[in-house]
């Protein structure tokens, strides 16, 4: 069985500061990892994905994430955040042979001026 | 290219009633998945459809059922609605031979 743990429920940060949102996963099979962003009253938008290959993946809006197999982590980073990055961020995993995604509980990023 | 669309946007139903939610997949996507997102939580997988057949199901009772049509659009039906069914229902489609899922804007269901 798969599980995804997002270690922080809320992350407050000042505008233009760097941010890291933490995600750990557990899976007994090859795993695919994703980060999604959800703005208020909207669906989920795919930020970035790790399917295979380079462990550092770059996504939209200046976000990137690093797949670390030994630590079973997939932390999301951005070097300089904007007010518009305020949203809920979800880490999700999928597995070979099963296309359903398992989501974490979400991290609310609050960017303050 | 049109993304995933869902209808209706909002819906209010009474306990015990039945509801049908609809989803149109993104062009070129042949797999549709449905998720329930309760307030303040991450989405929970309900089921997935591929080639018009159920292709995996989460921990949801049989009163949650679905359909996928030849054009890859899909419906989610919920019978005997309960108060706890109040949630945002998200539909997602997956491109052929891929794993990422693209989500629609969701349908907000309120059961009173």
């Amino acid at each position: 069985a798969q599980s995804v743990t997002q270690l922080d429920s809320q992350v407050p940060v000042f505008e233009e500061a760097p941010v890291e949102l933490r995600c750990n996963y557990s899976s007994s099979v090859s795993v695919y990892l994703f980060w999604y962003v959800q703005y208020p009253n909207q669906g989920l938008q795919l930020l970035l994905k790790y399917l295979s290959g380079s462990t550092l993946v770059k996504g939209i809006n200046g976000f990137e994430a690093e797949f670390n197999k030994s630590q079973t982590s997939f932390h999301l980073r951005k070097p300089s955040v904007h007010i518009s990055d305020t949203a809920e961020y979800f880490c999700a995993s999928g597995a070979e042979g099963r296309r359903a995604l398992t989501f974490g509980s979400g991290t609310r990023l609050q960017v303050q001026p | 290219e049109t993304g995933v669309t869902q209808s209706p946007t909002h819906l209010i139903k009474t306990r015990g009633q039945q509801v049908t939610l609809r989803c149109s997949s993104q062009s070129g996507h042949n797999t549709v998945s449905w998720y329930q997102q309760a307030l303040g939580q991450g989405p929970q997988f309900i089921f997935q459809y591929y080639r018009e057949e159920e292709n995996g199901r989460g921990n949801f009772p049989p009163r949650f059922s679905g359909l996928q049509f030849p054009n890859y659009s899909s419906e989610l039906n919920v019978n005997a609605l309960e108060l706890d069914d109040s949630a945002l229902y998200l539909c997602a489609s997956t491109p052929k031979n891929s794993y990422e899922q693209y989500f629609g804007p969701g349908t907000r269901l309120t059961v009173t």
Side-chain angles (χ1 to χ4, degrees), chain A:
Chain A
Q2 297 178 72
S3 68
V4 175
T5 302
Q6 292 185 243
L7 299 162
D8 307 292
S9 59
Q10 293 189 64
V11 173
V13 63
F14 288 107
E15 194 173 19
E16 298 183 8
V19 70
E20 178 180 82
L21 306 184
R22 298 180 293 168
C23 172
N24 285 93
Y25 70 91
S26 66
S27 176
S28 58
V29 297
S30 297
V31 66
Y32 307 105
L33 295 162
F34 308 89
W35 275 98
Y36 286 87
V37 60
Q38 187 175 36
Y39 299 101
N41 300 312
Q42 294 187 27
L44 278 69
Q45 181 182 11
L46 180 63
L47 273 179
L48 47 77
K49 61 187 177 186
Y50 171 78
L51 302 180
S52 64
S54 173
T55 57
L56 182 64
V57 293
K58 294 188 182 297
I60 62 172
N61 301 340
F63 285 94
E64 64 180 32
E66 186 160 16
F67 171 63
N68 188 320
K69 188 174 183 178
S70 63
Q71 297 188 6
T72 61
S73 67
F74 190 56
H75 301 333
L76 181 70
R77 302 185 183 100
K78 186 170 183 178
S80 176
V81 295
H82 303 287
I83 295 287
S84 59
D85 293 323
T86 294
E88 192 84 19
Y89 291 79
F90 291 96
C91 181
S93 72
E96 188 77 39
R98 183 172 184 268
R99 295 189 178 185
L101 296 181
T102 299
F103 283 85
S105 56
T107 297
R108 174 148 182 80
L109 176 62
Q110 293 178 292
V111 182
Q112 304 164 8

